[in-house]
Amino acid sequence: MASVQKAHPENVPGPLFVDTTCIDCGTCFHLGPEIFREEHDSSVVGRQPRDLGEWSEAKRAILSCPTHSIGIREPAAGFTAAPADLPLLIAGEVYYCGYTSRDSYGATSYLIRRPAGNVLVDSPRFTGPLVRELEALGGVAYMFLSHQDDVADHRDFARHFGCQRIIHRDDLRSGTADCELVLSGATPLALADDLKVIPTPGHTKGHLCLLYKEEFLFTGDHIFYDPGRGRLTASRGVCWYSWPEQIRSTEILTKETFRWIMPGHGGWGQFKKGESRDALELLLADMKGRP
């Protein structure tokens, strides 16, 4: 639980606070962009919630914070009445899971609900409230692990749901050696009519993206979305394997059609029909300009 005694001094006065155990993962920023802000490599409360909707955002942030660094000083009527609604329906059959894990530095996990079997994209924290909600939504048939960093509690989910875990051979580590579906090579693969795996080495050697229905592109740590500018971005600073490879695998994505980008960190974004290719070309020009 968050500690009032450790509350960050830059929080604005009021019941909601962030304490100094925050690791600045950014989870709260995209859940409550009007409430939370960054201050000296930490999240802080920049404005107290004003209505039921914003209290719901705050509650989702509290439940999703990987370090349990967000809390309430005293009971607040808005907080008590606000629903958390996790997993949160984003669009179509795609949900934001919340409940991020410190082991994945607060990485985002998503659920794809589909008749042929639900897919959990990367691993959230294995916790009772989330597990019960996933059960109510039909369970988990497959667990797509985009890369070695965001696997968190994958074994707990596999044991509980009996799901098959998907990972690339080049990102196998001792903690993922028992994954059921191990892919190899650099060729895109259709897992089903509505699911396509696209190898995207760069951030790590075995990084994978997942395309659902040519509508949702799950990008792990390969590329991200900047909501402030409404454009795609990539991080040179956290490219652990090869920046040239990351550029080349981003070029491969220009062949794909999608309207939603669902990254592993930060918020998700939506493009109008046909805009995703232009967004990727703009990103590539930026990436090629960096040493």
Side-chain angles (χ1 to χ4, degrees):
M1 293 179 62
S3 169
V4 173
Q5 288 73 30
K6 295 180 181 178
H8 198 288
E10 297 296 328
N11 289 310
V12 299
L16 185 67
F17 70 94
V18 178
D19 75 20
T20 54
T21 63
C22 170
I23 59 173
D24 198 24
C25 71
T27 295
C28 61
F29 292 161
H30 75 272
L31 293 177
E34 302 301 320
I35 301 170
F36 300 96
R37 61 179 174 83
E38 189 175 26
E39 186 71 33
H40 303 305
D41 298 323
S42 175
S43 298
V44 299
V45 176
R47 176 168 66 71
Q48 293 291 326
R50 294 177 175 174
D51 54 35
L52 197 64
E54 290 190 350
W55 275 115
S56 285
E57 293 175 358
K59 186 173 284 189
R60 291 178 201 124
I62 290 172
L63 294 173
S64 299
C65 176
T67 51
H68 308 288
S69 301
I70 310 172
I72 298 290
R73 283 190 173 87
E74 67 269 348
F79 176 81
T80 303
D85 295 330
L86 288 174
L88 177 68
L89 180 62
I90 299 171
E93 306 90 2
V94 174
Y95 294 76
Y96 166 76
C97 290
Y99 298 97
T100 70
S101 170
R102 182 168 192 160
D103 291 341
S104 295
Y105 201 75
T108 300
S109 178
Y110 303 93
L111 179 75
I112 306 172
R113 196 179 186 193
R114 50 196 290 275
N118 294 348
V119 181
L120 189 60
V121 179
D122 287 324
S123 180
R125 194 184 334 135
F126 189 84
T127 185
L130 175 60
V131 169
R132 289 190 290 273
E133 291 297 330
L134 292 176
E135 289 172 341
L137 289 168
V140 179
Y142 301 95
M143 192 170 191
F144 177 81
L145 300 175
S146 63
H147 64 295
Q148 62 187 338
D149 301 339
D150 295 348
V151 299
D153 296 337
H154 69 99
R155 279 181 168 162
D156 293 321
F157 285 99
R159 279 193 291 264
H160 185 85
F161 289 104
C163 55
Q164 293 188 300
R165 292 160 292 172
I166 303 162
I167 194 169
H168 195 281
R169 185 174 304 280
D170 287 334
D171 266 27
L172 276 182
R173 298 294 181 268
S174 59
T176 50
D178 58 345
C179 285
E180 294 77 15
L181 298 176
V182 179
L183 309 182
S184 60
T187 304
L189 172 68
L191 289 177
D193 291 343
D194 57 350
L195 292 172
K196 183 178 183 179
V197 177
I198 307 164
T200 49
H203 173 72
T204 60
K205 188 176 182 180
H207 195 287
L208 300 169
C209 288
L210 180 67
L211 182 64
Y212 173 58
K213 284 188 172 180
E214 296 189 341
E215 185 80 6
F216 297 88
L217 181 66
F218 300 87
T219 60
D221 285 3
H222 180 61
I223 58 176
F224 308 99
Y225 181 71
D226 183 342
R229 297 188 295 168
R231 58 179 290 178
L232 300 176
T233 184
S235 176
R236 180 70 177 88
V238 295
C239 178
W240 309 133
Y241 172 60
S242 167
W243 187 245
E245 282 294 310
Q246 191 155 341
I247 292 173
R248 280 192 284 272
S249 55
T250 302
E251 289 174 334
I252 291 172
L253 293 179
T254 62
K255 302 175 183 178
E256 307 296 340
T257 299
F258 62 93
R259 293 188 62 191
W260 287 85
I261 176 172
M262 319 298 290
H265 293 273
W268 45 87
Q270 184 180 17
F271 298 101
K272 294 179 181 178
K273 189 174 182 180
E275 283 186 347
S276 61
R277 182 183 176 88
D278 292 339
L280 284 168
E281 294 290 356
L282 187 62
L283 170 61
L284 280 165
D286 176 59
M287 293 175 73
K288 291 175 180 178
R290 299 188 228 171

